[in-house]
Amino acid sequence: QVQLVESGGGLVHGGETLTLSCVASGFTLDAYTLGWFRQVPGKEREGIACLSKRDGTTNYEPSVKGRFTIRRDNAKNTIFYLQMNSLKPEDTAVYTCATDFFFKCTSPGTKRDFNYWGRGTQVTVAS
């Protein structure tokens, strides 16, 4: 059974760092482009980061570029991460990981670009 499970969410204060993990089961991640999305109530789920399976290039949504980093765990081909530095209250959202075999990561992506999804983890940033 193909499954993605996020962990690492929680409550932090502005300026702090949080790292989210996404663990895959039922498949390995090397053949997939990886992505992270976030959603706040009343808004569409937005792509914020992706990592291309083809050449390892990354693409970030402008508001997180320079603060967030998506990366694979090269030792464990079933985990990838989103490191979030200098967190701001406006980063508060439900964060969801996703993977897709075909998506080329020429942009952070939309929900239509990814086929497999986790269930999400809440990140709350207090001011």
Side-chain angles (χ1 to χ4, degrees):
Q1 180 182 1
V2 172
Q3 192 174 16
L4 296 172
V5 178
E6 304 92 342
S7 63
L11 172 63
V12 295
H13 289 90
E16 294 183 342
T17 294
L18 202 61
T19 299
L20 306 181
S21 301
C22 180
V23 178
S25 58
F27 68 111
T28 56
L29 294 171
D30 50 341
Y32 293 82
T33 288
L34 313 176
W36 284 97
F37 286 70
R38 68 184 180 186
Q39 188 172 21
V40 298
K43 291 191 175 182
E44 286 283 317
R45 181 178 292 181
E46 66 167 347
I48 58 170
C50 63
L51 191 155
S52 170
K53 69 173 185 179
R54 184 178 56 180
D55 55 10
T57 57
T58 56
N59 210 310
Y60 295 94
E61 195 271 334
S63 70
V64 307
K65 191 173 184 179
R67 299 188 298 124
F68 290 12
T69 302
I70 182 172
R71 61 182 176 88
R72 297 178 184 270
D73 187 324
N74 291 320
K76 300 177 183 177
N77 201 13
T78 55
I79 307 176
F80 67 105
Y81 306 98
L82 182 70
Q83 181 174 333
M84 305 184 292
N85 298 332
S86 304
L87 281 161
K88 305 175 182 180
E90 51 264 43
D91 294 318
T92 295
V94 174
Y95 285 73
T96 305
C97 62
T99 64
D100 192 83
F101 185 81
F102 297 104
F103 182 56
K104 295 182 178 180
C105 188
T106 53
S107 71
T110 70
K111 58 185 180 182
R112 292 184 296 276
D113 293 317
F114 286 84
N115 193 33
Y116 297 113
W117 295 88
R119 302 184 78 170
T121 185
Q122 176 70 44
V123 172
T124 302
V125 185
S127 57

